[in-house]
């Protein structure tokens, strides 16, 4: 164990394992599950040009099933892709993990992953000084820490584990509670454009990440935020659960809608021909994304 990224008043630990053994753990029925995961992640990476020649991708590991699934998928793609890129990983400790992180670190060491574990002291102080702080403030602290860590890792791409469920919830949250049509972007850039931010699991639902993580025997480390009730996110998640009992492809339809925008059929005057001066052409409908098998 060697010292890794550090900042004022914070601690970090960097584990670099130079193992030549990087075989993916076997699991029952794992081949079809793995093929489905790689197909969906590969489609997202290709469609949105997420990863390019020579990239160094830093995977944001939260300790949960989604980010671990993303890491495993990128490690597999690295061996199969026609381009060369490298993968490393990091975790930001904000004082909200409900179990010790050590088992998670042991799993990553066994996989030969270069992992940095960073304790963000400003976030720890935030819990003591403002215990009722909202998600926005916590995210702002985490973003600052993420950029500091990734810059030290020499990476130019940051991969986040948001799934299709997160995209759908974001879309509905914006439409229902903020009055905007928008969701999470699959690819964007930091303000200084020094980092490309990607979300390779945009086409992967949480039922798949749950099964895949369980098949690998990953030691999932839950976060206290996931236990919160009475939030908009929890309300939307419960609503999805009820609707999907009768409409099992609901997420697939919503994701298709996000990629098939008919601006002339909305209420934004910027996209409407208010004076009838241009010829109206119906846009060809986009093919639905194959999100749910």
């Amino acid at each position: 164990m060697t010292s890794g990224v550090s900042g004022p008043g914070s601690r970090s630990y960097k584990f670099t394992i130079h193992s030549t053994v990087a075989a993916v753990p076997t699991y029952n029925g794992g081949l079809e599950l793995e093929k489905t995961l790689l197909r969906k992640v590969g489609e997202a990476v290709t469609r949105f040009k997420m990863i390019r020649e020579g990239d160094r991708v830093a995977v944001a590991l939260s300790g949960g099933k989604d980010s671990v699934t993303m890491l495993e998928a990128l490690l597999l793609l690295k061996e199969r892709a026609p381009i060369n890129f490298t993968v490393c990983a990091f975790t930001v400790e904000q004082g909200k993990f409900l179990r010790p992180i050590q088992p998670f670190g042991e799993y990553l060491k066994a996989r030969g992953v270069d992992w940095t574990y960073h304790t963000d002291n400003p976030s720890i102080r935030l819990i003591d000084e403002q215990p009722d702080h909202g998600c926005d403030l916590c995210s702002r602290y985490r973003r600052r820490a993420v950029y500091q860590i990734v810059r030290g890792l020499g990476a130019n791409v940051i991969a986040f584990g948001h799934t299709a469920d997160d995209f759908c919830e974001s879309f509905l949250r914006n439409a229902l509670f903020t009055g905007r049509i928008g969701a999470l972007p699959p690819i964007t850039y930091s303000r200084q454009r020094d980092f490309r931010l990607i979300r390779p699991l945009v086409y992967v639902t949480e039922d798949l990440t749950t099964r895949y993580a369980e098949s690998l025997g990953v030691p999932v480390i839950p976060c206290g935020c996931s236990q919160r009730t009475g939030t908009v996110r929890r309300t939307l998640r419960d609503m999805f659960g009820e609707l999907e009992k009768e409409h099992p492809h609901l997420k697939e339809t919503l994701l298709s809608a996000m990629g098939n925008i008919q601006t002339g059929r909305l209420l934004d005057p910027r996209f409407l021909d208010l004076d009838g001066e241009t010829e109206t052409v119906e846009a060809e409908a986009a093919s639905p994304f194959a999100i749910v098998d």
Side-chain angles (χ1 to χ4, degrees):
M1 182 174 70
T2 60
S3 61
V5 181
S6 63
S10 63
R11 294 178 300 152
S12 296
Y13 306 94
K14 183 173 183 178
F15 301 86
T16 304
I17 307 301
H18 301 288
S19 172
T20 58
V21 180
V24 178
T26 58
Y27 48 93
N28 295 333
L31 182 58
E32 289 303 315
L33 190 62
E34 181 182 286
K35 287 171 60 177
T36 300
L37 174 65
L38 287 179
R39 174 171 57 82
K40 295 178 184 297
V41 173
E43 181 181 353
V45 169
T46 301
R47 181 186 294 266
F48 300 109
K49 300 179 180 178
M50 293 182 176
I51 300 176
R52 303 159 195 183
E53 180 70 31
D55 281 342
R56 179 163 173 78
V57 182
V59 176
L61 291 176
S62 65
K65 63 188 185 309
D66 300 333
S67 59
V68 172
T69 296
M70 177 181 62
L71 172 65
E72 290 289 348
L74 291 179
L75 290 175
L76 291 171
L77 283 179
K78 183 170 71 73
E79 302 301 324
R80 295 162 169 79
I83 60 173
N84 296 312
F85 66 94
T86 59
V87 177
C88 59
F90 68 92
T91 299
V92 180
E93 170 65 75
Q94 292 187 287
K96 298 182 180 181
F97 288 125
L98 299 181
R99 289 204 295 268
I101 200 74
Q102 284 81 1
F104 188 63
E106 291 300 320
Y107 173 81
L108 294 172
K109 286 194 285 185
R111 290 289 287 118
V113 176
D114 181 0
W115 180 53
T116 295
Y117 173 64
H118 175 86
T119 299
D120 187 51
N121 286 334
S123 294
I124 304 297
R125 289 195 299 271
L126 180 64
I127 295 177
D128 295 331
E129 298 170 1
Q130 302 182 46
D132 297 326
H133 65 271
C135 296
D136 289 343
L137 185 57
C138 181
S139 296
R140 197 154 59 241
Y141 275 60
R142 182 168 57 251
R143 186 183 307 114
R144 175 197 50 75
V146 165
Y147 289 164
Q148 174 188 337
I149 295 167
V150 174
R151 188 170 289 109
L153 293 174
N156 65 310
V157 181
I158 308 174
F160 296 106
H162 296 103
T163 64
D165 299 62
D166 295 308
F167 276 78
C168 291
E169 290 167 10
S170 174
F171 179 79
L172 288 182
R173 184 170 63 248
N174 278 317
L176 297 176
F177 296 94
T178 69
R180 295 194 302 263
I181 298 296
L184 295 168
I187 178 172
T188 187
Y189 289 83
S190 60
R191 181 173 300 178
Q192 302 298 325
R193 301 192 69 81
D194 45 353
F195 301 118
R196 188 185 321 134
L197 315 180
I198 64 174
R199 295 178 170 89
L201 299 185
V202 55
Y203 297 155
V204 179
T205 53
E206 286 193 10
D207 65 313
L208 179 56
T209 64
T210 299
R211 285 183 290 150
Y212 189 74
E214 288 176 351
S215 70
L216 295 178
V218 178
V220 174
I221 311 299
C223 172
C225 297
S226 64
Q227 310 297 317
R228 296 178 62 183
T229 60
T231 64
V232 170
R233 180 178 182 182
R234 176 60 62 182
T235 299
L236 292 175
R237 183 151 297 200
D238 293 343
M239 183 182 72
F240 266 116
E242 288 298 316
L243 288 174
E244 286 182 313
K245 293 178 181 178
E246 296 185 14
H247 307 283
H249 299 293
L250 181 62
K251 295 188 182 76
E252 180 181 18
T253 305
L254 274 178
L255 285 170
S256 295
M258 294 180 215
N260 185 24
I261 301 173
Q262 297 182 327
T263 56
R265 294 182 177 272
L266 296 173
L267 306 183
D268 193 330
R270 294 175 297 174
F271 303 107
L272 298 176
D273 181 17
L274 302 180
D275 299 319
E277 296 178 349
T278 59
E279 182 180 356
T280 301
V281 178
E282 291 291 339
E284 182 179 352
S287 299
F289 297 137
I291 309 302
V292 181
D293 297 320

